[in-house]
Amino acid sequence: MEEAPLLKADGALVFSSPESFRRHYDLYLGKGGALVRPEARLQPLEHVRVRLTLPGAGELALEAQVTNLAGDMALLHFIDLSGDDAGRLRLAADATESPTREMSPEERPSDEMLREVAALVAGIPPEASPSDLPPPPPPLTPAVVQDLQLPPQPTARPRSPMTPQPPPAFVLLDPPPPAAPTPPPPRASPAPAFVLLDPPPQPVPSPPPYAPPSPSPAPAAAPPGATPAPPPPPHSAPQAPAQPAYNAAAAAAGLLSQADRPFKNPTTPQDFLALPLLRPPPVEQAPEPAMPLVLQWLASLKAPAVSMRVRLGRSRDFLAYVLFGQEVRSSTPVDTLVRAMGELSGQLEIRSVPEGPKAPFSASLASIRFSVLRELLKRYGEADLGSGLSARMGMSPKLNAHGMGLLRVIGLSEPQLRMAQRLLGGSHPLDVVLNNGIGIRSTWAVIYLEQLLGGMTWVEPQPRENVVVEELRFLVERLRVADHFEVLGLHYTSPPRSVDRAYERLQREYGPGSRAAAQSAKLAEEIWQRVQQAYGTLKTAVGRKQYRKDRFPNVRMDYASQIVTSQSQLAEMRGELDLAIDLLEAAIELNPTAELMGHINRVRAKKSGG
């Protein structure tokens, strides 16, 4: 087998030579995957970032998923491999030439070995005399020696030594032509097959010939007073054969055997965490599978084209096509399709089709899997989410290496991503993590997804004093690069009254005599000085207007005013007149017009009852 390239911890894929890259392209890269020797430990279904240095074509970065593991080898499948990237790989492989080099004496085959090989090919029995052997073939060139890794040749029938054959010369490099033309192979999936990692079956050894047992010599008598030797240990039972490596494709093989099947999504957070997504069971063991499990099977099946119909009653019917376990096409918008898959129960019809038709909406199967998981979490209340992980309430969540890689692929928002990077490091207990600025439900969603997909570990929390100081240090670093509105926790379109309210709140949290000052006077003083600087600029309307002009020169304030006006109209419709007035004051400050002045006077009169 061709030596697999080394996958370093930083994602760099290192080939031993340009010739090795060319052979690896023919075996794996050209089919959408790679067989690598990872430097760091990988997990099944883990997403990794691979960087390939193409010979003469620069560097190429690809997103890959671990589809199979065997020993120290891992099979990767490239996710969403574009046509441009595939073309760059092909051009780099075509431009690679096998370098010629002189063979060392150790690599050059000996004359005796060449004679033996020529004798076997010519059909001369091994017991023939040396004089019957044909002369050795001409010396092999380095290029010929490098290509000696040939497929197994059919065993030649021994010929009679009475009819010697001419020297075979280069018959080793040319296998005999097939007896009849074979039909063209069927169309193969672009993803590499799982059997690449499975070793070929070993031939069953023939039993040794029977030999009569030889009489064993009698043991020598022990001298008087000596401790007798212990009896020989009984024959141990033969060890059971090692279990084969987990094969996700085999688990999903029966997906098309039963076209119609009901699906049932988890109804509680505990059932959600029990979804077997890391090692999906065989299809036969789940008569009513959850929709995330079905999507996991489809990703492992890698069928060329599969139609999937989701029925949610008589009037709700959705059809989608899955191509090679990677792409989903549908005439239904992706968001609507995800909400349908997130229903608690329904009927599922999966059939194999010749090819997937074109459709106006498409997305990767991986993104839809994570979207369905997030849709299921929306159906649980905050109290139910808390009870699902109540046993972890006194511990600190910590992302492992796999969990850090999942942050970029499970579809988190930017606030969720920042929260995970800042608070899920094992330094903060769970109750502190939940009480952050993005909301409890959004925080639970991140924790549940990481826990389900094997990216979360739990450790003992650090002392509370250390946690507070670490939070203050992180806040100081963030405020150094933040603008004045962000320092006060505001947006540049926030109402004018919110500036004073934010200043008073920060004074209680970080001002003199606050709890933060008691924990670290130096850090609290630095934060408070930055707050005073921002408030000194934004406390007046003139200062806010000038700061917006200098800080955001490319922002159309009239457009921003229209957005805030729309928000005030919605607040007025909900009956929140105080909020509507605050938003109208912000819109007037961004772009004062006579229409807005009349609008705010009308809302004020409505509030006063006039």
Side-chain angles (χ1 to χ4, degrees):
M1 178 183 294
E2 170 66 22
E3 181 182 359
L6 175 65
L7 180 62
K8 293 190 173 182
D10 60 354
L13 192 59
V14 180
F15 294 89
S16 59
S17 64
E19 180 187 9
S20 175
F21 170 80
R22 171 65 193 189
R23 290 199 293 263
H24 204 78
Y25 174 83
D26 295 337
L27 293 175
Y28 306 102
L29 294 177
K31 301 176 183 179
L35 182 66
V36 301
R37 293 180 292 110
E39 190 176 59
R41 183 179 178 84
L42 298 179
Q43 299 293 333
L45 305 180
E46 179 179 353
H47 287 253
V48 295
R49 191 74 172 174
V50 180
R51 294 185 293 107
L52 295 89
T53 302
L54 304 180
E59 187 175 276
L60 179 62
L62 298 173
E63 189 77 19
Q65 184 181 25
V66 181
T67 58
N68 205 352
L69 295 172
D72 60 345
M73 310 289 284
L75 183 62
L76 305 183
H77 169 59
F78 297 131
I79 302 173
D80 297 336
L81 182 64
S82 63
D84 295 339
D85 295 340
R88 291 182 60 188
L89 286 173
R90 184 175 60 256
L91 292 176
D94 294 341
T96 303
E97 298 181 356
S98 300
T100 60
R101 61 180 177 86
E102 292 294 334
M103 296 177 57
S104 62
E106 292 79 8
E107 295 175 334
R108 185 177 298 111
S110 62
D111 294 342
E112 181 181 357
M113 184 186 70
L114 293 176
R115 288 178 178 273
E116 293 179 1
V117 172
L120 292 177
V121 174
I124 300 176
E127 62 272 9
S129 61
S131 60
D132 297 330
L133 296 179
L140 301 179
T141 62
V144 172
V145 174
Q146 292 177 0
D147 293 334
L148 279 179
Q149 296 181 353
L150 302 176
Q153 302 293 331
T155 305
R157 188 182 348 184
R159 298 187 180 91
S160 171
M162 301 299 297
T163 57
Q165 301 293 327
F170 294 93
V171 71
L172 284 175
L173 300 182
D174 298 325
T182 57
R187 178 183 174 184
S189 168
F194 286 94
V195 298
L196 293 174
L197 291 184
D198 298 331
Q202 301 294 333
V204 180
S206 58
Y210 173 78
S214 58
S216 57
T227 304
H235 294 287
S236 59
Q239 297 182 356
Q243 295 295 332
Y246 174 74
N247 196 328
L255 190 60
L256 300 177
S257 61
Q258 180 184 352
D260 299 328
R261 64 178 68 244
F263 72 89
K264 185 177 181 181
N265 285 321
T267 57
T268 62
Q270 291 84 352
D271 296 338
F272 179 88
L273 292 176
L275 287 174
L277 298 186
L278 295 181
R279 295 176 65 88
V283 175
E284 296 77 9
Q285 296 183 7
E288 293 184 350
M291 185 57 68
L293 185 57
V294 174
L295 298 178
Q296 197 83 349
W297 280 333
L298 288 174
S300 303
L301 188 62
K302 290 183 172 50
V306 173
S307 68
M308 180 177 59
R309 186 181 298 274
V310 181
R311 294 188 179 131
L312 303 176
R314 296 181 178 179
S315 60
R316 302 179 64 188
D317 197 345
F318 306 92
L319 179 63
Y321 295 89
V322 181
L323 308 181
F324 296 105
Q326 299 179 13
E327 182 185 4
V328 178
R329 298 178 184 175
S330 176
S331 58
T332 305
V334 175
D335 294 341
T336 305
L337 188 63
V338 168
R339 287 195 294 270
M341 295 179 181
E343 293 289 340
L344 293 181
S345 60
Q347 197 72 17
L348 194 62
E349 179 181 338
I350 300 177
R351 299 185 184 277
S352 179
V353 295
E355 60 181 359
K358 295 183 179 180
F361 304 100
S362 65
S364 66
L365 182 59
S367 65
I368 290 184
R369 291 205 315 265
F370 297 132
S371 299
V372 172
L373 291 175
R374 296 195 303 270
E375 182 68 23
L376 293 177
L377 290 173
K378 294 179 182 178
R379 302 183 179 274
Y380 310 138
E382 292 184 5
D384 297 333
L385 293 172
S387 62
L389 288 175
S390 58
R392 306 288 189 179
M393 193 57 66
M395 305 183 70
S396 298
K398 180 180 181 181
L399 295 178
N400 53 31
H402 177 56
M404 295 299 294
L406 286 174
L407 291 178
R408 291 294 182 180
V409 298
I410 58 179
L412 300 181
S413 62
E414 285 300 324
Q416 288 176 320
L417 184 60
R418 290 195 297 267
M419 181 279 302
Q421 293 173 343
R422 181 171 65 93
L423 298 179
L424 300 184
S427 302
H428 307 272
L430 184 56
D431 56 342
V432 175
V433 174
L434 294 174
N435 295 324
N436 62 82
I438 69 171
I440 295 180
R441 178 176 290 276
S442 297
T443 306
W444 274 129
V446 179
I447 294 175
Y448 266 81
L449 287 175
E450 291 285 356
Q451 179 73 14
L452 173 66
L453 300 174
M456 184 79 71
T457 58
W458 299 86
V459 297
E460 293 296 330
Q462 296 182 1
R464 183 61 186 170
E465 295 77 10
N466 299 342
V467 174
V468 174
V469 173
E470 183 180 351
E471 291 178 351
L472 293 176
R473 188 178 294 107
F474 178 82
L475 181 58
V476 168
E477 296 295 333
R478 188 171 63 87
L479 294 182
R480 289 175 181 173
V481 297
D483 59 62
H484 290 346
F485 288 99
E486 293 176 343
V487 169
L488 299 180
L490 305 174
H491 192 259
Y492 68 88
T493 61
S494 298
R497 299 181 185 180
S498 61
V499 176
D500 294 334
R501 291 196 290 262
Y503 178 77
E504 295 173 358
R505 175 179 58 83
L506 293 173
Q507 184 179 14
R508 292 192 300 269
E509 293 181 2
Y510 304 104
S514 62
R515 178 184 177 185
Q519 294 292 337
S520 177
K522 180 180 179 180
L523 295 175
E525 180 182 0
E526 188 173 352
I527 295 173
W528 179 238
Q529 290 179 357
R530 184 69 180 89
V531 170
Q532 288 180 316
Q533 179 188 7
Y535 180 71
T537 304
L538 303 180
K539 63 182 179 182
T540 62
V542 177
R544 290 192 294 271
K545 181 178 180 180
Q546 185 62 37
Y547 185 77
R548 291 191 186 100
K549 182 179 179 180
D550 297 338
R551 183 74 177 188
F552 312 104
N554 299 324
V555 176
R556 291 283 301 272
M557 294 301 170
D558 53 344
Y559 289 170
S561 177
Q562 294 177 9
I563 296 175
V564 177
T565 303
S566 301
Q567 295 174 353
S568 69
Q569 293 173 353
L570 293 175
E572 183 181 359
M573 293 173 61
R574 295 193 302 264
E576 302 174 357
L577 299 182
D578 291 334
L579 178 59
I581 293 174
D582 288 346
L583 292 173
L584 284 174
E585 290 177 351
I588 292 173
E589 187 173 278
L590 294 172
N591 185 33
T593 61
E595 181 181 0
L596 290 178
M597 295 299 298
H599 191 181
I600 193 173
N601 292 331
R602 180 179 58 80
V603 177
R604 286 172 177 170
K606 183 179 180 180
K607 178 184 176 182
S608 61

